[in-house]
Amino acid sequence: MQKARCLALVIDMTGSDVQQPTHEQHGASIATNMRGTAGAGSDATASGTLVPYAPQQQLSILQEELSRYDNTVMQMPMLVVANKLDALAPDAAAAALQQLKAATHLPILPVSAKQGAGLRRLKTALQLLVSHLVSRT
């Protein structure tokens, strides 16, 4: 993280706030669970999702965790990668994207890493972000 000059915050768009555990119940395991790895509370919720947080909640948690780690990180240029849109019905994907857009001023790039959809656009956005940083130094 010390050498990072920009960040891409990857959000699982299939996340749900159904039976959402509290921040205190999972403590440090929240970030681990959001990555979908094993850990306390990583079992699927009643809704069948591995991520017990809606996309906008995931983003808020990531930003909170980053600011706790080092508040200067929040000054870095960043964008949001809205992943797994292919796993949602089109109407649900559109609604989830709208809710995420309403929750942040950051640019959002919708992708499906599994299908490769949106990855060229993501790569271009990251290249532009990095080249802008390089030209400022």
Side-chain angles (χ1 to χ4, degrees):
M1 187 70 96
Q2 273 69 13
K3 293 185 180 186
R5 293 172 32 195
C6 61
L7 295 175
L9 305 175
V10 181
I11 303 298
D12 183 337
M13 296 302 288
T14 65
S16 171
D17 57 5
V18 175
Q19 292 190 0
Q20 173 189 331
T22 65
H23 207 7
E24 293 77 29
Q25 286 175 319
H26 286 291
S29 69
I30 290 172
T32 302
N33 291 341
M34 287 178 29
R35 289 190 302 269
T37 58
S42 66
D43 295 335
T45 65
S47 66
T49 180
L50 289 176
V51 180
Y53 298 97
Q56 62 275 17
Q57 293 165 314
Q58 293 174 52
L59 180 59
S60 175
I61 291 167
L62 280 172
Q63 290 173 320
E64 183 181 326
E65 295 278 336
L66 287 169
S67 67
R68 282 188 197 169
Y69 172 75
D70 181 353
N71 199 36
T72 61
V73 170
M74 297 308 295
Q75 306 308 314
M76 288 183 190
M78 57 182 79
L79 54 79
V80 177
V81 180
N83 192 25
K84 296 188 181 180
L85 283 170
D86 59 303
L88 298 172
D91 289 348
L97 272 173
Q98 280 305 112
Q99 290 173 349
L100 187 58
K101 285 179 183 179
T104 186
H105 67 281
L106 297 172
I108 299 172
L109 287 107
V111 302
S112 166
K114 182 179 181 179
Q115 294 180 347
L119 295 183
R120 278 195 189 139
R121 185 171 173 226
L122 173 60
K123 181 180 175 182
T124 300
L126 290 170
Q127 288 172 333
L128 288 171
L129 193 59
V130 170
S131 68
H132 178 70
L133 291 171
V134 169
S135 68
R136 290 189 344 195
T137 57

